[in-house]
């Protein structure tokens, strides 16, 4: 990627049935692919927790 930074984007569904939502996360400027993926995972867990989705 330009400037050796990673762009990591992800879209998916968390939860099932009526206790679910679709989430899209777009990030840029990640130092590594792995750090960008961890950011996406951490944000997904935070949203799931905040919305009380299991």
């Amino acid at each position: 990627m330009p400037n050796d930074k990673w762009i990591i984007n992800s879209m998916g569904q968390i939860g099932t049935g009526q206790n679910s939502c679709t989430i899209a996360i777009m990030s840029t400027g990640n130092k590594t692919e792995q750090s960008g993926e961890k950011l996406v995972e951490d944000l997904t867990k935070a949203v799931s927790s905040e919305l009380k989705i299991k």
Side-chain angles (χ1 to χ4, degrees), residues 18-36:
Q18 291 183 347
N19 189 25
S20 67
C21 73
T22 301
I23 185 171
I25 299 173
M26 297 172 276
S27 67
T28 187
N30 300 287
K31 290 183 180 182
T32 65
E33 180 180 15
Q34 292 77 21
S35 68

Side-chain angles (χ1 to χ4, degrees), residues 3-53:
N3 303 319
D4 295 326
K5 301 293 181 186
W6 281 85
I7 297 170
I8 305 291
N9 300 322
S10 184
M11 183 174 158
Q13 181 172 335
I14 53 178
T16 58
Q18 291 183 347
N19 189 25
S20 67
C21 73
T22 301
I23 185 171
I25 299 173
M26 297 172 276
S27 67
T28 187
N30 300 287
K31 290 183 180 182
T32 65
E33 180 180 15
Q34 292 77 21
S35 68
E37 289 171 350
K38 179 157 178 17
L39 173 65
V40 167
E41 290 171 6
D42 291 347
L43 289 170
T44 300
K45 288 176 185 175
V47 168
S48 180
S49 176
E50 187 67 26
L51 296 177
K52 297 174 178 48
I53 296 174

